[in-house]
Every structure is written in C-alpha cells, then in structure tokens.
Amino acid sequence: MPATVIVGTQWGDEGKGKVTDVFAENVDLVARYQGGNNAGHTIVIGDERFALTLIPSGVLNPGVTPVIGNGTVVDPKVLLEEMAALAARDVDVSLVRLSANAHLIMPYHRKIDALQERFLGSGQIGTTKRGIGPAYTDKFSRHGIRVQDLFDPKIFRDKLEAALKEKNKTLVKLYNQLPMDAEAIAAEYLEYGRQLESHVTDTSLLLSEALEAGKEVLFEGAQGTLLDIDHGTYPFVTSSNPTAGGATIGSGVGPTAIDKVVGVTKAYISRVGSGPFPTELDDEIGETMIEVGGEYGTVTGRRRRCGWLDAVALRYASRINGLTEIALTKIDVLSEFETLKICVAYEADGERYDELPRQHRVLYNCEPVYEELPGWGIDISGAESFEDLPPAALDYIARVEELAGVPVSMVSVGPQRKATLTR
Ligand code: IMP
C-alpha cells in the first residue's frame, strides 16, 4: 500500500485519529491535506491520552514523518504550542514537516470567524471559531499569506499591510471593533517563522520522492465527507475538501499514487454545530450515545448531536470517496441497546429517497426509514479478533458492508490501540 487515504464518512469525529494511529505503525509518512486546528484527534496509548488538532496523528509513532500539506491552513502559534506540548511528553517532533505553500491563519481570521458567527444569529454555522473559513476565503480570493512569506519579512509586511487595509475596515466599520496593528502582528508572526523554519519545506516533493522510493504514505483527512465544502451539507460545512480527492490537491501528489481509501465510519453518527441531521435522536438513546461514547468535542468541548447510523449517507460517502474499505469504530457503544437501527432511506412528502436528495432542503424535514437489527447485549470491548464478536455484532457488520457496498476491514471496540480488530 504505497499511498492510503483515510477519510471520515460522516460529519467528522468518526475516530480517524485512532485509525490513523493504528495504520501509522506500518507507514513512513503521514500527511494532513486540508483543514487546520478545527480538527480534533484523540489518541489513547496505554494510560496516556493525546489530543491533536493540527499535527498528523502519525507523530506518535517513532520514525514516522508527520507532514502538514499545502492544502491546510496553519495557525503557527497553535502549531508551536502543539509541538512543545508533545515534546514535553517525550514525543519526537523533529521530523514534523510543514508545506511552504500552506496558508497562515492570521489573528484577524480568528476574530472575523467569531464575529461572522455572532452576526449570523440563529443562522450560524457553529464553526470552531479558529479562523478556518476566513483563512480559506483569503486563500481563494488571493489575499492569503503563506508559510513561505514568513521568511521574507518585506513581502510579509507588504502582504499584511494590504490585508489589514481591508480587514480593519471590516472590523471597524462593519463590526464596530478596534483595528489591528500590522507591526505587532508582523513581530509576532516573524518570530513564529524563526521557530518553525527548520520544519518548512516543499512537502509535495518530499511526499513524491518518498513514494518513488517505495515508502508508505498515509493521507489523513480531517472532518468528514458531509462537512466537505463541495459534497457536504452546504452551508453547514467546513471550508475545505476532506474527501479523498482533496488528498491529491492538498498534498501535491497525483491521483494515480493512491490505491487505497479507508472510510472511517462510526457505528452510529454524530455532528457538532448546526445543519440538517436526518437520524438525530433527541431521546434517551441519543443521550446514551453521548455519554457512553464520550461525544464531546476535542477542540471546543461541545456536546455532539448523536443518532443512528445513516446508510444513505454512508453509501454516498463510499461513492464520493471511492472507498476501498471501511474501518467501523465505536461499535462497543452499541452494546448498550437491545435493538439497533440503521437508516436505509429517507421519506418526505410521500416520496422515498434511496440516495441523498438533489434538493438538500429535504434533509431538514425527512423521516428516516429504519431497518431494525437485534443488539448483542454483552460487553464486547475485550474482543481481540472478529471471532470473539457475538453473532449479532457480526450480522450488524455484514449489514453495514452490504448497505455500503464496501468491505469492513477493521473494527474498533474501544479507544485503546489494542482494541482494534482487523481482517
Ligand atoms: P469550521 O471548520 O471551524 O469553519 O466549522 C464549520 C463546521 O464544521 C462546524 O459545524 C464545525 O462544528 C464543523 N467541524 C469543523 N471541524 C470539525 C471536526 O474536526 N469534527 C467535527 N466537526 C467539525
């Protein structure tokens, strides 16, 4: 497997961090290709819990080169803090590589993210307020400042001043805020540049050369398919392409290099922030999913909305990403329930939808069509192989495979590395 992409098939929080960490045992490089510190990955090793937001989960595997690709947006302060926190816990961060082409999240991006949300009122997206959307907006309107600009103080200052001319008008006139000071930001950011310089490189070249040399590369998507700016539940999405296609654009590696796409799928489904959610449960079952599944955001601590697995969305994710296999996570949480449900279609206004409806407004008021399966009623968190799983759990997995049209190659029954069953 020279190049494998790991993507979330839902609205993020599927357990990609853990799956990436398990896969990373056998790879040489792990690359992030989109998003920024809006992502939250929790990895448990022994008694230790690591929460990562920007550095690829592979960093916890000695010898693996963690790469932050050109498609990401990087808050340099957060990156330096995350590296320092890992180093303080004896994790080697010397191999971290950051693309010179990645865009920087600037202080005004964070500020404008929060202000835009406030002004949207009840229409707010529920962003992580990390400046992600405004940083991508500047990238695509060609006003962005890139990591490489940190090493050219004159260019950096020129770009910053040009950006601030517009941003300060927005801050002062539109949002009634104080203007930001270019010199203070320049001093802060140029210092970050000095601290990061040894990590900055042409990561497209690095990855391509590694692949040519027969090394194994893992592309780690953040967020999930339904949060994709093109393929998700727009506008309640993030501002990048978490789907597998994003891996090539966001890393500078051609699509022919990729031969495996693993769709990480939680055995139920969750979302944070606003937006439609056909299988959302506002009852005791949803409550149990939140509490037993520990469904609180790694980045913002927000309580996640939870519901039954949505196989319409899963089939969609399988198509959009070209999944070759599924890693099914948190199946142990389903041990709590006597009867399990999987949504196999939606119904609205007397019409049945077996695929995601063309008009996304249908997602807001449709009823899920459920198929019921018996639960297994016993704790499976100690299972060490597929053979240890009760027949009802194997049936559930087989049904997921049938509905998705993709084999399940990995099942996770707990947060620990060892609680991972493969076939
Ligand atoms: P943003 O990415 O901060 O702009 O937020 C846009 C939407 O994506 C919001 O609904 C967030 O809650 C959601 N989001 C962003 N990152 C993640 C993630 O890592 N997991 C789950 N949801 C996320």
Side-chain angles (χ1 to χ4, degrees):
M1 63 161 195
T4 300
V5 184
I6 296 198
V7 289
T9 63
Q10 303 166 343
W11 282 291
D13 307 318
E14 299 93 351
K16 292 180 297 293
K18 178 190 158 166
V19 173
T20 304
D21 176 61
V22 170
F23 268 87
E25 276 180 330
N26 304 312
V27 306
D28 303 292
L29 300 96
V30 180
R32 278 278 305 270
Y33 54 86
Q34 46 71 234
N37 57 314
N38 49 347
H41 291 156
T42 309
I43 299 151
V44 180
I45 302 174
D47 295 333
E48 289 209 74
R49 181 174 287 269
F50 294 86
L52 302 171
T53 65
L54 189 54
I55 299 181
S57 309
V59 70
L60 300 173
N61 291 273
V64 167
T65 301
V67 177
I68 302 173
N70 56 277
T72 62
V73 284
V74 175
D75 189 325
K77 180 168 189 273
V78 172
L79 177 56
L80 284 163
E81 281 171 0
E82 200 158 297
M83 289 205 292
L86 286 168
R89 294 170 74 179
D90 293 328
V91 176
D92 178 16
V93 291
S94 65
L95 293 177
V96 171
R97 292 294 171 265
L98 169 62
S99 168
N101 287 355
H103 279 246
L104 292 168
I105 296 179
M106 305 297 292
Y108 43 83
H109 292 140
R110 288 192 299 268
K111 185 114 190 156
I112 289 172
D113 194 353
L115 289 163
Q116 276 175 341
E117 280 288 271
R118 202 191 306 159
F119 274 66
L120 279 172
S122 61
Q124 65 179 228
I125 291 165
T127 74
T128 58
K129 300 197 178 80
R130 300 299 192 264
I132 307 295
Y136 277 114
T137 302
D138 277 1
K139 170 176 174 171
F140 285 97
S141 64
R142 292 162 294 176
H143 293 141
I145 304 182
R146 296 190 291 175
V147 167
Q148 58 184 274
D149 297 325
L150 293 171
F151 312 114
D152 216 322
K154 170 143 180 17
I155 291 179
F156 184 85
R157 283 198 167 86
D158 287 350
K159 289 190 175 179
L160 177 60
E161 272 164 27
L164 273 182
K165 252 191 210 154
E166 183 215 332
K167 303 298 171 197
N168 276 340
K169 268 194 202 138
T170 306
L171 288 172
V172 175
K173 298 207 166 144
L174 188 61
Y175 293 119
N176 203 19
Q177 301 289 307
L178 290 173
M180 289 192 164
D181 176 39
E183 201 33 58
I185 297 176
E188 182 189 343
Y189 271 63
L190 293 172
E191 175 53 30
Y192 295 147
R194 276 186 280 280
Q195 292 179 44
L196 284 171
E197 187 155 15
S198 62
H199 297 277
V200 177
T201 191
D202 177 344
T203 49
S204 161
L205 185 64
L206 173 79
L207 290 163
S208 303
E209 285 181 346
L211 285 166
E212 249 168 58
K215 295 197 173 157
E216 312 270 340
V217 178
L218 201 61
F219 293 97
E220 175 185 356
Q223 290 86 45
T225 302
L226 301 174
L227 286 174
D228 187 282
I229 185 89
D230 284 277
H231 303 292
T233 49
Y234 191 89
F236 301 102
V237 292
T238 194
S239 298
S240 63
N241 291 112
T243 44
T248 72
I249 306 282
S251 71
V253 164
T256 46
I258 291 162
D259 58 356
K260 211 162 145 178
V261 183
V262 182
V264 184
T265 305
K266 192 151 62 182
Y268 50 101
I269 191 165
S270 67
R271 94 174 285 177
V272 268
S274 327
F277 186 166
T279 65
E280 182 168 17
L281 293 170
D282 197 9
D283 61 9
E284 228 172 80
I285 295 176
E287 200 61 35
T288 306
M289 287 170 176
I290 294 169
E291 294 313 320
V292 178
E295 297 293 348
Y296 294 90
T298 314
V299 174
T300 57
R302 286 180 292 175
R303 208 165 183 273
R304 297 178 185 142
R305 302 153 64 193
C306 285
W308 294 115
L309 183 68
D310 183 339
V312 182
L314 179 56
R315 211 166 33 244
Y316 174 74
S318 163
R319 166 162 60 87
I320 297 287
N321 294 296
L323 297 186
T324 56
E325 59 195 90
I326 285 175
L328 193 63
T329 61
K330 288 190 153 181
I331 189 168
D332 52 306
V333 174
L334 297 187
S335 305
E336 299 290 321
F337 310 114
E338 233 172 80
T339 302
L340 310 175
K341 291 186 184 179
I342 301 180
C343 165
V344 293
Y346 309 135
E347 244 169 33
D349 303 323
E351 210 173 314
R352 180 183 163 111
Y353 297 87
D354 291 298
E355 300 293 339
L356 223 65
R358 186 194 73 180
Q359 298 301 116
H360 283 189
R361 73 175 151 67
V362 172
L363 294 172
Y364 290 83
N365 54 16
C366 63
E367 284 300 319
V369 178
Y370 284 120
E371 192 175 285
E372 292 197 353
L373 286 93
W376 40 91
I378 54 163
D379 179 14
I380 56 168
S381 59
E384 289 178 358
S385 70
F386 273 71
E387 289 71 45
D388 293 341
L389 293 174
L394 292 171
D395 288 347
Y396 183 84
I397 295 167
R399 190 62 187 134
V400 171
E401 290 180 316
E402 260 170 26
L403 289 166
V406 181
V408 170
S409 62
M410 182 188 276
V411 169
S412 168
V413 292
Q416 299 284 353
R417 260 184 190 169
K418 62 178 172 42
T420 314
L421 324 178
T422 50
R423 64 176 172 195

